[in-house]
Amino acid sequence: MVKPQLTIQLSDTQRIPQVGLGVWQASDTDARTAVRTALEEGYRHVDTASIYGNEKGVGEGLRDAGTAREQVFLTTKIWNDAHGFDAATAALEESLERLNVEYVDLLLVHWPTPSQDNYVNTWRALINAQRNGKARSVGVSNFNQDHLQRLIDETGVAPVLNQIELHPFMQQAALRSAHESMGIATQSWSPLGQGSALTNPAILEVAQKHGRTAAQVIIRWHLELGLIAIPKSVTPERIRENFNVFDFALDASDLSAIAALDSGKRLGPDPSTFG
Ligand code: NAD
């Protein structure tokens, strides 16, 4: 049974579930069980990447759960060592083989790696993958506004979304509004601040007020901002907890308490220099 959940319309024909399971730093074995648990709990969206080294486990988890392929929104990403048209095209084939699927729902360029100055050619490979049905939607990750504009200027095709570091301590207001004007959805990576936001007193206060956990409050905050969140867990109780966010709402005072936590400090690398 598909549980009621929120989805976002992308700029192509697809809709993406607003909560997905992230599996970074999970082994094949852990990813396999986590994906199965998540799908049994009602998740219909899984986020992996070739660099995570667990695409095989993710694919096995999909099959273990027995959920119909077309009901699951599956994302993978092209790593920094596969920039350029041919390398990215070959990398996708390898990902599809490891995942043991015919197509992914979303294929992302993982990082722009400006030092290689090759992401436009990589993007052309993704556009081609969408044309030949191997990726239903195509997008990017960790791109700044200039990188996005260059893709649009040079290919005429905008990514459907940009997956960026986004959590209560790094709220990305400027990039979010650039996305909005470009018709690009925003997906939040490390939505819980890699766990660091879960003990914040302001978050805990909101959680107590609603009788919810800190993780649920933060995930709900992403939903109310119109973001797509991919919290990571391999623990069944937490996977369940993180999906139990569709039956409550934050009010204006909750949202302003969380808005005040923004420090603009990254947990991850700076995309303008990484790779
Ligand atoms: P996250 O913000 O999802 O936090 C994960 C941490 O929080 C883990 O330690 C987990 O054990 C803990 N946690 C999760 N749910 C919890 C709960 N209910 N209660 C208590 N603790 C809980 O961090 P993340 O894994 O860095 O990011 C999520 C996903 O984003 C990744 O798995 C990956 O799919 C994606 N990601 C993408 C990029 C990129 O460059 N595109 C970079 C980092 C992560």
Side-chain angles (χ1 to χ4, degrees):
M1 191 198 65
V2 184
K3 286 192 187 162
Q5 55 191 291
L6 298 171
T7 60
I8 293 230
Q9 178 66 54
L10 298 173
S11 59
D12 56 15
T13 57
Q14 287 218 100
R15 295 189 76 87
I16 183 170
Q18 246 183 307
V19 178
L21 178 76
V23 293
W24 181 37
Q25 294 177 317
S27 64
D28 267 322
T29 311
D30 285 350
R32 178 176 186 165
T33 354
V35 167
R36 180 188 180 148
T37 305
L39 291 171
E40 287 173 351
E41 281 305 318
Y43 287 66
R44 288 296 178 267
H45 172 187
V46 178
D47 181 90
T48 186
S50 58
I51 193 66
Y52 300 170
N54 58 23
E55 289 175 312
K56 190 166 173 287
V58 166
E60 288 165 347
L62 290 177
R63 270 176 301 284
D64 290 348
T67 313
R69 173 68 191 90
E70 64 274 12
Q71 283 185 25
V72 183
F73 192 102
L74 177 61
T75 301
T76 196
K77 315 185 189 85
I78 301 291
W79 186 239
N80 301 347
D81 61 0
H83 272 288
F85 189 91
D86 291 342
T89 303
L92 171 59
E93 287 302 325
E94 289 164 17
S95 283
L96 293 174
E97 201 164 302
R98 284 189 293 266
L99 288 161
N100 194 8
V101 294
E102 302 284 315
Y103 66 91
V104 287
D105 294 274
L106 179 62
L107 181 64
L108 303 178
V109 183
H110 207 145
W111 291 86
T113 63
S115 65
Q116 296 187 41
D117 195 23
N118 208 7
Y119 60 82
V120 177
N121 288 324
T122 311
W123 183 236
R124 292 186 205 283
L126 269 61
I127 295 168
N128 191 49
Q130 185 178 30
R131 287 203 185 113
N132 64 30
K134 298 195 171 174
R136 294 267 160 103
S137 292
V138 288
V140 295
S141 179
N142 301 300
F143 276 47
N144 68 27
Q145 188 174 352
D146 293 343
H147 302 141
L148 295 168
Q149 193 58 54
R150 185 165 166 208
L151 293 185
I152 296 167
D153 291 346
E154 296 196 25
T155 69
V157 181
V160 293
L161 65 72
N162 189 14
Q163 183 183 118
I164 56 173
E165 179 178 347
L166 204 162
H167 43 75
F169 304 138
M170 177 76 186
Q171 299 189 14
Q172 301 266 24
L175 195 47
R176 267 160 47 206
S177 90
H179 288 167
E180 213 167 298
S181 63
M182 292 167 144
I184 295 172
T186 304
Q187 187 168 40
S188 310
W189 64 250
S190 297
L192 306 173
Q194 296 174 1
S196 68
L198 297 171
T199 50
N200 180 272
I203 301 277
L204 289 170
E205 203 179 310
V206 177
Q208 196 178 22
K209 175 174 142 188
H210 290 276
R212 295 287 172 153
T213 67
Q216 289 171 329
V217 163
I218 299 170
I219 295 164
R220 187 70 210 181
W221 171 78
H222 288 274
L223 301 187
E224 296 196 9
L225 263 56
L227 307 169
I228 302 144
I230 44 172
K232 182 246 176 160
S233 179
V234 294
T235 311
E237 301 75 46
R238 289 175 174 176
I239 292 174
R240 195 169 305 127
E241 173 186 330
N242 294 347
F243 199 66
N244 187 9
V245 290
F246 301 109
D247 59 349
F248 78 110
L250 302 179
D251 61 30
S253 76
D254 303 330
L255 294 173
S256 67
I258 300 175
L261 300 179
D262 193 11
S263 69
K265 235 173 99 185
R266 291 181 191 283
L267 297 170
D270 183 341
S272 59
T273 50
F274 182 66

